[in-house]
Amino acid sequence: MLCKQATLLLEFVSFFLLSALLSVTLEAKSSKEGLDYLNMLRNNAGLIHLKNNASLEKAASSHAKYLIRNQSNGHYEKRGKYSYTGSTPSKRVIKAGYPSRFVMENLSVNTRGEVKSIDNLFAAIYHRFVFLSFDKDEIGIGSYSIKKKRKFKHSYVYNIASSSISKLCKRSFIMENGEYYIKKICRDKEKMIPQTLFREKKDEIRRKNSAIIVYPYPKQNHVWPAFYNESPDPLPKYKVSGFPISVQFNPANTQNVKLQSFRLYNEKGKEIKKTKILQHKNDHNHLFTKFEFALMPLARLEFNTSYTVKFEVIADGNKIKKQWTFKTKNFKEKMYRITENKTTVNVKAGSTAILYMVPSTRKDILRSYKSRGGIKVSFLDQNTVKVIFPKRRSSGRVSLGLGKKKVHFNIE
């Protein structure tokens, strides 16, 4: 009897270990794909690659698990909750074994896949600047998902830090007269780091990057044309607007920047007039530095359209002009641009189509849909859906209701 129990226990443990190893392997593959994609975007923008760090990854993974298990969203954790490892990102990376508190965190919930998660964060201007940081060179990516029906089912967390500052925290320093020191940087909060050395190490990484980076980067394709929300919100009066265009100056190369003009044009050469330019002096959330600028289109950009950006500043007394183009997302499937409240569309049985419900106001977004006729619907964003039609022709009514708009389909 004891032998039988032992055998069953061994089989159970073996199955558990196999499942755990499989889960870790899949997560590692997903993490690598996410890092490769993020580094591709950074490299094309003119920044160095981020290296994976095991301690940062451990902290990111624990917070991703915390978010889903507690159905929470944000950068803070509450003591006593499941999977709690620290109230703030800096405390969590220290708990995971990272020597420095000099860390930034990005996260998203309910996106499917790290590529989509990263794209969504790049559409959010404050989170984009985290990914495009000049003085960071390593990262840890964590994710967690469940199949149960919950409000939050997927989470992705990105902890980004500096190896140069991390190495400073491993050194010892003798206090000297005439030198300024900073603390609360390392595991030991009271450890004093020479301020000049701290700045030098940040500039050490900054100098490996380009003097100016823009995003979308020149000739970038498949840029999603919309921005929806971010916390904190750069455009609090808008629930839907266009994809932000940004320019950042490397602090290691530039001291002062004064904006002269920042304009956006469509492929016909017509200027997009309805925009808001954000910079250090007018950012109501006070998160822009004096080296960061963003043009926020106040209406969605169009799909499958080329745009030209023209940017001009005075930097350290020198006039600098930049002009570049990018192109928004194009679909293989046929896309229908829906502007009327009632629309009829002819489609082929078994085909797939994209419906873009053009927002009529700055708050016009979709929250749900009602379908008839056996069509399959999935959201691509809060104004765009993918529709798969039945393989057989139908004599019955096939329709899709999306807010105030309703689309009828004639399946041929």
Side-chain angles (χ1 to χ4, degrees), residues 211-222:
I212 306 172
I213 60 171
V214 303
Y215 201 91
Y217 52 78
K219 298 183 180 179
Q220 184 172 353
N221 293 317
H222 307 296

Side-chain angles (χ1 to χ4, degrees), residues 199-378:
R199 290 175 177 172
E200 285 175 12
K201 290 302 179 182
K202 286 205 297 183
D203 282 346
E204 187 178 278
I205 296 176
R206 286 169 172 165
R207 291 192 186 95
K208 297 177 182 178
N209 297 299
S210 299
I212 306 172
I213 60 171
V214 303
Y215 201 91
Y217 52 78
K219 298 183 180 179
Q220 184 172 353
N221 293 317
H222 307 296
V223 174
W224 201 261
F227 162 64
Y228 284 96
N229 55 68
E230 183 175 13
S231 180
D233 196 341
L235 294 175
K237 295 181 180 180
Y238 290 78
K239 290 186 177 180
V240 55
S241 57
F243 192 86
I245 295 93
S246 62
V247 182
Q248 296 165 264
F249 287 77
N250 192 331
N253 301 81
T254 308
Q255 298 297 316
N256 295 289
V257 186
K258 185 176 181 181
L259 181 66
Q260 300 295 294
S261 66
F262 201 168
R263 293 190 169 96
L264 179 67
Y265 300 83
N266 65 17
E267 56 192 13
K268 295 180 180 179
K270 183 178 179 180
E271 183 177 358
I272 309 299
K273 295 269 190 178
K274 294 182 179 180
T275 64
K276 181 174 182 178
I277 297 173
L278 290 181
Q279 54 185 308
H280 177 67
K281 63 184 180 181
N282 73 338
D283 170 29
H284 66 275
N285 292 309
H286 309 292
L287 293 175
F288 275 61
T289 72
K290 65 179 182 179
F291 303 107
E292 296 170 338
F293 304 88
L295 183 147
M296 312 289 289
L298 298 182
R300 281 183 62 127
L301 302 182
E302 294 292 336
F303 285 110
N304 192 28
T305 302
S306 293
Y307 290 91
T308 298
V309 186
K310 295 182 179 181
F311 178 82
E312 183 177 335
V313 296
I314 302 295
D316 296 336
N318 299 312
K319 182 177 287 189
I320 295 177
K321 292 183 178 181
K322 295 191 74 69
Q323 178 174 318
W324 73 98
T325 61
F326 65 90
K327 191 172 183 179
T328 52
K329 172 72 176 178
N330 187 24
F331 296 100
K332 294 179 182 179
E333 301 87 354
K334 186 175 177 77
M335 190 189 82
Y336 297 91
R337 194 174 183 275
I338 310 298
T339 58
E340 303 297 326
N341 286 342
K342 291 185 179 180
T343 305
T344 299
V345 176
N346 297 322
V347 296
K348 291 184 179 181
S351 66
T352 301
I354 306 297
L355 301 185
Y356 167 40
M357 320 301 285
V358 181
S360 57
T361 69
R362 61 190 180 187
K363 296 184 178 181
D364 184 10
I365 61 175
L366 304 175
R367 300 186 185 278
S368 61
Y369 66 86
K370 294 181 179 179
S371 64
R372 293 180 61 181
I375 60 178
K376 295 180 180 179
V377 184
S378 58

